[in-house]
């Protein structure tokens, strides 16, 4: 699947394309809700000048729709560390093979 025209592959913030992340704690985002323990693969980020925010898009095994975490310009994106944890490389292989 190709990336949307406004997708960023140069600056994806704290996430690495294709890497796997686990949700540390349940939380509600602007366009999505995340549950503790969900495993997501980072896909891309996109900036919206209209909304003054960056959307971080993830894929989740078994779901067609993309998951999205939006971060407003005034919010410290480093808060991601309290919400997501990067999984080891062997976890990436397991998720990507399934």
């Amino acid at each position: 699947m190709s990336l949307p025209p406004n997708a960023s592959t140069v600056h994806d913030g704290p996430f690495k394309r294709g890497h796997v992340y686990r949700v540390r704690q349940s939380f509600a985002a602007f366009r999505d809700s995340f549950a503790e323990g969900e495993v997501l693969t980072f896909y891309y980020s996109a900036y919206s000048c209209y909304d003054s925010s960056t959307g971080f898009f993830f894929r989740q095994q078994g779901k067609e729709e993309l998951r999205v975490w939006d971060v407003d310009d005034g919010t410290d994106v480093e808060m991601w560390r309290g919400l997501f944890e990067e999984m080891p490389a062997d976890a990436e292989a397991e998720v990507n093979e399934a």
Side-chain angles (χ1 to χ4, degrees):
M1 176 183 272
S2 62
L3 295 174
N6 64 337
S8 172
T9 56
V10 176
H11 177 67
D12 287 326
F15 303 106
K16 298 173 193 145
R17 184 170 161 81
H19 285 224
V20 176
Y21 298 85
R22 177 180 290 141
V23 178
R24 288 183 183 265
Q25 63 184 17
S26 298
F27 67 97
F30 180 66
R31 296 185 275 177
D32 206 338
S33 293
F34 296 85
E36 182 179 344
E38 288 182 315
V39 176
L40 310 168
T41 302
F42 181 66
Y43 188 43
Y44 70 92
S45 66
Y47 183 73
S48 169
C49 58
Y50 176 77
D51 295 315
S52 299
S53 65
T54 300
F56 296 97
F57 294 83
F58 299 86
R59 293 193 170 284
Q60 186 174 16
Q61 186 176 341
K63 295 191 176 188
E64 287 190 32
E65 68 275 359
L66 292 174
R67 307 293 306 280
V68 61
W69 177 51
D70 295 297
V71 179
D72 293 331
D73 282 351
T75 303
D76 184 2
V77 74
E78 284 302 308
M79 72 180 288
W80 80 273
R81 294 180 192 282
L83 302 174
F84 302 93
E85 65 177 318
E86 187 170 2
M87 303 298 294
D90 58 342
E92 294 172 30
E94 288 178 26
V95 170
N96 293 327
E97 287 175 4

